[in-house]
Amino acid sequence: MDFELPDDAKAMIDTTRKMVRDLMPHEPEFQKTDKVPDAVGKVFRDNGFFSLAFREENGGMGLGMLEICCIQAELAHLPVQFWADVKSSQGPQTKIIEDFGTEAQRQATLPKVIAGDLVMAFCLSEPHCGSDVSAIRTSAERKGDGWVLNGYKTYVSNGIKAGQAVVAAYTDRSKGAKDGISLFLVPADAPGYKLAGILELMGHHTPGVAELAFDDVELPADALIGEEGKGLSYLMHGLNAGRLAIAGTSLGMGEMALEEARLYARERPAFGGKLSDFQAVQHMLADMATEMRAARLLMLDAAWRYDRGEVSRSLCAMAKLFCSEAAGRTVDTALQIFGGAGYVRGQRVERLYRDVRVTRIYEGASEIQKNTIAREMLRD
């Protein structure tokens, strides 16, 4: 059994790690201004980070899920806002376009995303429902050869500056979610497409997430992504990859908090020695390191199997569940080791504490992951 990463993956991870070290000095400026320095985006564009997950025939690097997850774990050491657009380029919205969109849809979106010139949004959740996809109220009705879209979406990451959105809507409610939901590619400048509100967040706090309204948005026939009524299956396909990426994000945040806590414990004077001299702190660090090691191995196994064509909904859910829960415990313990200093704005561990919390919620809350795992286990 070989746990070594391929050489090309190691090289890309090393490149990412160096970039992260180079960008980390920009964090204090960001913490003061809430504005991402222009140099950050330039570094990602110049190094092709918006092309990582796309196939080579579409102009991308063609990296596998194993590499994407490991790279995401490195990026997660930085403030979320630094790499949010890179993460968006790897999200379900672009995966769905690449895998199920028409050639015209791919040509209209993917080159711009790869160049870092287009941000895309994924519109699924609504004010009254999140994980319960069947309860969405947004609808698209036929009008001539095209469609008319009406509805309201919330918690839309990147929705504030998105130029295009992938929107889930019922096209035939009588068929239920399995065969009645379709996906549409909607330009942000379409009449009736409105930024209805901005929700400020506890973590990831700038610029927040969007609420989008669609009021009689007229769409051409070719706005439909793939086949009518296949939206739910496309969503699940995109979410499997998305959940593995969140596993990588969680892992990176947890590992960063562990390293911050380790360094702090070794340096902090306490009762004539160092904080790390105390067995209670040593045990905290040991538990954190063990959980992060287990999380990394589970993520690597799930991503490796995904790349081999073993796309297991259960295994993707396990990776997302364990990595996010373990990271939450690790970051919490890291802040405890810092004590009062960890609760002060400007400390990296304080930023991680706020940012890691949502990993147990988005792309399916932990309870939804458990439902998925159990359902797959009990299936005949």
Side-chain angles (χ1 to χ4, degrees):
M1 186 176 295
D2 186 2
F3 287 97
E4 286 296 318
L5 292 171
D7 289 341
D8 54 350
K10 288 181 181 178
M12 195 64 202
I13 293 165
D14 287 343
T15 298
T16 306
R17 192 170 290 148
K18 181 180 183 302
M19 283 178 50
V20 168
R21 284 198 301 265
D22 291 344
L23 291 174
M24 199 68 80
H26 291 285
E27 181 174 358
E29 176 188 350
F30 167 72
Q31 295 289 4
K32 292 178 182 178
T33 65
D34 277 345
K35 294 181 180 178
V36 178
D38 292 339
V40 174
K42 185 177 186 304
V43 167
F44 287 128
R45 283 192 296 273
D46 290 350
N47 287 276
F49 267 66
F50 292 96
S51 70
L52 298 178
F54 296 103
R55 294 191 289 271
E56 292 181 10
E57 62 264 30
N58 292 322
M61 290 189 185
L63 299 187
M65 187 55 64
L66 182 68
E67 291 130 318
I68 292 295
C69 288
C70 290
I71 289 169
Q72 186 57 43
E74 297 299 325
L75 293 178
H77 293 186
L78 293 166
V80 173
Q81 295 83 353
F82 283 24
W83 47 265
D85 289 353
V86 173
K87 179 67 168 58
S88 173
S89 72
Q90 304 165 6
Q93 60 273 30
T94 55
K95 181 72 174 171
I96 288 167
I97 292 294
E98 185 173 44
D99 290 348
F100 303 110
T102 63
E103 183 60 28
Q105 288 170 339
R106 286 194 288 270
Q107 288 300 319
T109 57
L110 300 191
K112 295 177 183 177
V113 173
I114 289 170
D117 296 330
L118 174 64
V119 174
M120 296 187 66
F122 184 49
C123 301
L124 179 59
S125 296
E126 300 184 2
H128 62 283
C129 66
S131 297
D132 184 6
V133 179
S134 65
I136 65 170
R137 296 171 183 167
T138 299
S139 65
E141 297 181 357
R142 288 189 178 275
K143 182 179 181 181
D145 292 334
W147 304 86
V148 177
L149 179 70
N150 281 283
Y152 196 96
K153 299 293 184 178
T154 191
Y155 305 127
V156 183
S157 299
N158 305 300
I160 298 169
K161 56 183 177 181
Q164 299 264 6
V166 172
V167 182
Y170 268 108
T171 47
D172 189 340
R173 200 172 295 275
S174 68
K175 293 182 178 179
K178 183 178 179 181
D179 298 306
I181 292 177
S182 301
L183 302 183
F184 294 87
L185 182 60
V186 185
D189 60 0
Y193 181 117
K194 300 175 183 176
L195 176 60
I198 298 174
L199 302 176
E200 296 185 4
L201 305 177
M202 179 179 78
H204 303 213
H205 64 286
T206 56
V209 295
E211 294 187 304
L212 299 178
F214 305 96
D215 297 329
D216 290 329
V217 178
E218 296 193 11
L219 300 171
D222 59 8
L224 178 68
I225 300 171
E227 297 180 44
E228 182 182 347
K230 297 295 185 182
L232 185 63
S233 65
Y234 299 160
L235 288 170
M236 292 301 104
H237 174 82
L239 285 173
N240 281 330
R243 286 169 177 170
L244 287 176
I246 299 302
T249 298
S250 307
L251 177 70
M253 291 181 177
E255 289 181 337
M256 185 62 171
L258 171 59
E259 180 62 8
E260 290 286 308
R262 184 184 73 86
L263 293 174
Y264 184 80
R266 289 175 58 183
E267 297 169 0
R268 177 71 159 88
F271 302 99
K274 301 294 184 183
L275 200 58
S276 58
D277 294 335
F278 294 90
Q279 190 180 63
V281 174
Q282 293 171 7
H283 285 186
M284 287 178 175
L285 292 169
D287 287 342
M288 295 158 73
T290 302
E291 284 215 275
M292 287 297 94
R293 179 66 174 171
R296 178 170 281 273
L297 290 174
L298 180 53
M299 182 201 74
L300 292 175
D301 179 51
W304 179 75
R305 293 181 186 280
Y306 184 100
D307 288 337
R308 287 167 54 91
E310 301 175 32
V311 184
S312 165
R313 186 178 299 178
S314 176
L315 196 52
C316 292
M318 286 180 186
K320 198 269 186 184
L321 170 67
F322 189 83
C323 287
S324 62
E325 293 284 344
R329 289 189 291 269
T330 296
V331 175
D332 184 82
T333 304
L335 193 146
Q336 190 71 17
I337 289 173
F338 270 77
Y343 203 64
V344 175
R345 284 289 180 118
Q347 282 281 7
R348 191 165 290 141
V349 72
E350 183 271 340
R351 182 256 294 173
L352 289 165
Y353 186 82
R354 286 182 286 108
D355 287 347
V356 77
R357 183 60 182 85
V358 75
T359 63
R360 291 154 57 191
I361 298 173
Y362 63 3
E363 301 283 12
S366 291
E367 292 72 23
I368 295 297
Q369 308 309 320
K370 292 178 182 180
N371 288 348
T372 298
I373 296 163
R375 187 165 54 247
E376 295 292 313
M377 288 175 61
L378 297 172
R379 181 174 293 167
D380 291 333

